[in-house]
């Protein structure tokens, strides 16, 4: 059982306007995103773990799907039924063009409450690659609790975050500004455990984007099972 049920939680709505501002930044970035972040070995490896450890034809949520590359494409090619959501209209447009076999929706994470894309237990797996870092820390445990509820028993979550001790911190990003949060790895393990997940695997990658305004970072990839 997750520590926090999303059904009664209203806090994920309180920064909706601010998150819309974040979406505008990604709209402006558009198809430059994949050019700026061409090396995604960690994300591909984590996606392969998710694809290989779920039954054929599993229903997978790609949270913050972006352009659909590489994760929605990878999971769809593996024979799974992918449902992607993103708050950026331009990202959703690109994803639909690049991964026509998947189902994409322009939604905020808060919109998943109340069974919008299926109620509790409606997904076999979830990919959340660098999507929860767009939330303030106060919201991340509740978001994880919601994802826990959306997964079937023993469902799988592939989660990635940047290792950083920051909360709702503004950074330059491809000529725009976005706000991000992060954890040191021991703190991240504690947060996912408290949300009702077992850590079954973990990887870390040093990553330097092909951009002069974003410093090198450590990317953490956790492989989680709903407890």
């Amino acid at each position: 059982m997750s520590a926090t049920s999303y059904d009664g939680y209203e806090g994920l709505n309180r920064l909706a306007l601010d998150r819309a501002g974040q979406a505008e930044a990604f709209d402006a970035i558009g198809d430059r995103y994949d050019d700026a972040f061409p090396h995604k070995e960690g994300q591909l490896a984590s996606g392969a773990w998710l694809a290989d450890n779920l039954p054929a034809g599993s229903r997978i949520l790609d949270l913050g799907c972006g352009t659909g590359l590489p994760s929605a494409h990878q999971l769809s090619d593996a024979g799974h039924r992918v449902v992607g959501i993103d708050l950026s209209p331009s990202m959703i447009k690109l994803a639909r063009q690049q991964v026509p076999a998947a189902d994409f929706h322009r939604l905020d994470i808060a919109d998943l409450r109340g069974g919008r894309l299926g109620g509790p237990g409606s997904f076999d797996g979830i990919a959340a690659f660098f999507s929860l870092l767009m939330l303030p820390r106060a919201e991340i445990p509740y978001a994880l609790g919601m994802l826990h509820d959306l997964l079937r028993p023993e469902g799988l979550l592939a989660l990635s975050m940047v290792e950083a001790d920051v909360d709702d911190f503004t950074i330059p990003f491809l000529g725009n500004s976005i706000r991000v949060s992060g954890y040191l790895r021991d703190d991240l393990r504690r947060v996912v455990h408290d949300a009702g997940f077992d850590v079954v695997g973990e990887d870390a990658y040093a990553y330097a984007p092909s951009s002069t305004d974003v410093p090198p970072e450590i990317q953490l990839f956790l492989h989680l099972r709903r407890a």
Side-chain angles (χ1 to χ4, degrees), residues 175-227:
N176 296 271
S177 293
I178 61 171
R179 297 190 318 281
V180 298
S181 299
Y183 298 96
L184 301 180
R185 64 189 69 191
D186 286 344
D187 294 326
L188 181 59
R189 294 187 196 106
R190 174 184 51 78
V191 169
V192 298
H193 179 268
D194 290 347
F197 290 97
D198 292 329
V199 179
V200 298
E202 179 180 331
D203 288 304
Y205 294 78
Y207 188 87
S210 299
S211 170
T212 59
D213 61 353
V214 179
E217 60 193 27
I218 299 298
Q219 298 180 342
L220 302 177
F221 292 85
L222 298 186
H223 300 161
L224 309 174
R225 177 176 288 114
R226 174 181 161 161

Side-chain angles (χ1 to χ4, degrees), residues 69-162:
L69 302 178
S71 297
H73 185 272
Q74 178 187 30
L75 295 167
S76 182
D77 270 5
H80 298 295
R81 295 173 293 134
V82 179
V83 180
I85 71 165
D86 202 287
L87 196 55
S88 164
S90 65
M91 292 291 176
I92 289 294
K93 181 179 179 180
L94 286 166
R96 287 170 175 163
Q97 293 170 350
Q98 297 183 132
V99 195
D103 183 22
F104 295 102
H105 303 265
R106 181 180 176 266
L107 294 173
D108 183 82
I109 183 173
D111 297 326
L112 297 179
R113 295 176 307 130
R116 180 74 176 268
L117 295 179
S122 58
F123 288 96
D124 303 293
I126 297 173
F129 293 125
F130 308 109
S131 48
L132 296 189
L133 63 80
M134 307 296 290
L135 301 176
R137 274 187 183 175
E139 294 192 357
I140 291 174
Y142 296 100
L144 285 167
M146 180 177 66
L147 298 182
H148 179 281
D149 288 352
L150 288 173
L151 282 170
R152 64 167 173 78
E154 298 192 346
L156 302 180
L157 169 62
L159 172 70
S160 66
M161 297 281 286
V162 172

